[in-house]
């Protein structure tokens, strides 16, 4: 049996994630009381006809039930049940906007006098233990329904439990650091193509930006240092039974330097990892680079070497 436990903040897309797994053949149950998890696993194992099970366990549980969830998961682990916990989160301000737009009631406001904002904050506190136990944290703040379904398909349903799933994500600091990042590297100290009006329209995937950044020795130096660190420590993360790792690369706008660096690191890491997930948050792109499909980063003729500062 393969068990997926979906949890997270109300309004963050748990129903969409559960439906995506159900469409892939999982037996899906929403709002399962935590205390019934062990019994459900036993029942389905005895029947032998449900190899894949997905359940949603969140703040709608009875008071005190979530407190026992960590011990229930330990019991499943001791019984050699293959499971993973997926936690969905969204920025509180975006949750306020979503509830205001849909006019739905938050589950924690139904039997109390809490305001919507108080309920959102209380729910995050209530779910802290589950969040800490999660194998994968997904920030849905800027994900469309289709983006979330694709991430669930790629990172959960098709994920091999004996393999570390590595994601490199470029982002812009002006829109905030991704909430689901495990490691963050800041490349804002590198020369910025934005200040050249002829380059501003391009992205870090375009030959013009690649040529610009390739001409600065400081860019190669930072790339080499980050790569050396990852090559040294990624095996340690994998040996600690970690299933997912998201490495975020940030620059000011998330269009040029961070995109270039994420692409370059993915090119170097793919032969080591077999495949790498690439996500460019500000460009709205998400795709997988496999060892068979890996290709050098597009390049153009490199202009004369520039100094290391701009």
């Amino acid at each position: 049996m393969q068990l997926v436990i979906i949890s997270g903040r109300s309004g963050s897309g748990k129903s969409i994630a559960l439906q995506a797994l159900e469409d892939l053949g999982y037996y899906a149950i929403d709002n399962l009381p935590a205390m019934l998890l062990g019994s459900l696993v036993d029942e389905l194992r005895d029947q032998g006809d449900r190899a894949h099970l997905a359940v949603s366990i969140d703040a709608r549980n009875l008071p005190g039930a979530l407190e026992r969830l960590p011990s229930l998961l330990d019991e499943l682990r001791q019984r050699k049940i293959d499971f993973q916990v997926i936690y969905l989160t969204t920025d509180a301000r975006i949750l306020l906007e979503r509830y205001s737009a849909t006019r739905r009631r938050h589950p924690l406001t139904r039997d109390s006098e809490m305001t919507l904002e108080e309920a959102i904050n209380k729910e995050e506190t209530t779910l802290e233990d589950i969040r800490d136990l999660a194998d994968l944290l997904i920030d849905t703040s800027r994900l469309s329904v289709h983006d979330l379904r694709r991430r669930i398909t790629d990172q959960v349903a098709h994920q091999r439990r004996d393999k570390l799933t590595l994601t490199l994500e470029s982002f812009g600091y002006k829109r905030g650091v991704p909430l689901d990042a495990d490691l963050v590297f800041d490349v804002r100290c590198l020369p910025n193509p934005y200040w050249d009006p002829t380059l501003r329209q391009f992205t870090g995937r375009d030959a013009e930006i690649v040529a610009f950044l390739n001409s600065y020795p400081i860019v190669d130096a930072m790339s080499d240092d980050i790569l050396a660190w990852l090559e040294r420590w990624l095996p340690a993360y994998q040996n600690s039974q970690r299933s997912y790792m998201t490495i975020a690369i940030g620059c000011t706008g998330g269009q040029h330097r961070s995109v270039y660096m994420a692409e370059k690191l993915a090119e170097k890491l793919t032969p080591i990892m077999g495949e790498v997930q690439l996500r460019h948050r500000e460009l709205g792109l998400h795709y997988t680079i496999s060892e068979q499909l890996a290709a050098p980063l597009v390049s153009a003729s490199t202009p004369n070497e520039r100094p290391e500062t701009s």
Side-chain angles (χ1 to χ4, degrees):
M1 170 177 289
Q2 294 182 1
L3 168 64
V4 177
I5 300 171
I6 303 289
S7 189
R9 309 179 79 168
S10 300
S12 61
K14 298 190 302 295
S15 297
I16 294 170
L18 202 62
Q19 291 167 7
L21 291 173
E22 186 173 26
D23 290 345
L24 292 170
Y26 282 72
Y27 181 51
I29 300 177
D30 186 25
N31 192 20
L32 178 74
M35 302 306 298
L36 298 181
L37 180 59
S39 300
L40 176 63
V41 169
D42 289 339
E43 179 68 22
L44 294 181
R45 288 187 77 184
D46 291 342
Q47 292 182 13
D49 60 348
R50 289 289 186 181
H52 300 80
L53 171 65
V55 301
S56 172
I57 299 178
D58 50 45
R60 293 172 291 176
N61 262 252
L62 296 173
L66 294 180
E67 296 178 3
R68 292 197 57 189
L69 184 59
S71 61
L72 293 174
L73 295 181
D74 283 338
E75 293 176 8
L76 293 179
R77 192 172 291 108
Q78 293 171 8
R79 293 165 53 191
K80 308 300 182 183
I81 301 296
D82 181 18
F83 70 89
Q84 51 185 317
V85 180
I86 313 301
Y87 188 91
L88 307 185
T89 189
T90 301
D91 184 270
R93 292 170 298 178
I94 294 178
L95 286 178
L96 282 169
E97 294 173 0
R98 289 178 182 176
Y99 273 100
S100 297
T102 61
R103 299 184 180 181
R104 295 186 60 195
R105 293 180 63 87
H106 190 282
L108 297 187
T109 65
R110 291 172 181 166
D111 300 315
S112 70
E113 297 180 354
M114 282 190 290
T115 66
L116 175 58
E117 185 174 6
E118 290 171 341
I120 289 174
N121 293 332
K122 179 176 175 57
E123 181 181 45
E124 179 71 355
T125 302
T126 302
L127 297 174
E128 279 182 350
D129 289 343
I130 300 180
R131 177 174 177 147
D132 292 342
L133 290 169
D135 298 291
L136 175 64
L137 176 70
I138 299 179
D139 176 14
T140 68
S141 301
R142 298 181 178 88
L143 294 182
S144 68
V145 171
H146 303 295
D147 290 335
L148 177 55
R149 290 181 66 94
R150 183 171 63 247
R151 287 196 62 179
I152 292 296
T153 300
D154 293 343
Q155 292 188 270
V156 179
H158 296 163
Q159 195 261 343
R160 284 174 46 189
R161 298 294 287 161
D162 60 342
K163 180 181 178 183
L164 178 68
T165 297
L166 180 65
T167 300
L168 288 170
E169 178 174 8
S170 68
F171 72 94
Y173 275 95
K174 68 180 183 180
R175 297 184 65 186
V177 177
L179 298 178
D180 51 4
D182 298 298
L183 299 171
V184 179
F185 292 96
D186 183 350
V187 298
R188 287 177 292 182
C189 63
L190 301 180
N192 192 352
Y194 178 84
W195 300 116
D196 184 339
T198 66
L199 297 177
R200 193 170 295 175
Q201 62 181 313
F202 299 108
T203 75
R205 303 179 73 237
D206 293 320
E208 291 80 359
I209 302 302
V210 173
F212 174 89
L213 292 171
N214 279 347
S215 67
Y216 288 90
I218 190 176
V219 176
D220 277 339
M222 176 170 278
S223 172
D224 291 343
D225 285 347
I226 295 176
L227 181 63
W229 194 94
L230 294 175
E231 289 178 333
R232 169 67 179 85
W233 290 106
L234 281 179
Y237 283 107
Q238 187 161 11
N239 291 338
S240 67
Q241 306 303 312
R242 194 180 187 102
S243 300
Y244 305 91
M245 174 69 66
T246 297
I247 301 167
I249 313 291
C251 63
T252 305
Q255 303 284 331
H256 302 118
R257 294 166 291 179
S258 61
V259 172
Y260 165 92
M261 189 63 70
E263 294 268 350
K264 188 169 186 177
L265 291 172
E267 175 195 337
K268 300 294 185 181
L269 290 170
T270 297
I272 300 171
M273 303 299 297
E275 69 176 32
V276 173
Q277 301 278 333
L278 254 176
R279 187 160 68 245
H280 299 305
R281 190 182 74 180
E282 317 308 352
L283 303 184
L285 297 175
H286 182 195
Y287 48 93
T288 300
I289 297 181
S290 65
E291 189 172 5
Q292 293 76 18
L293 299 177
L297 197 63
V298 63
S299 61
S301 56
T302 303
N304 295 332
E305 182 173 300
R306 297 184 176 94
E308 294 191 9
T309 58
S310 64

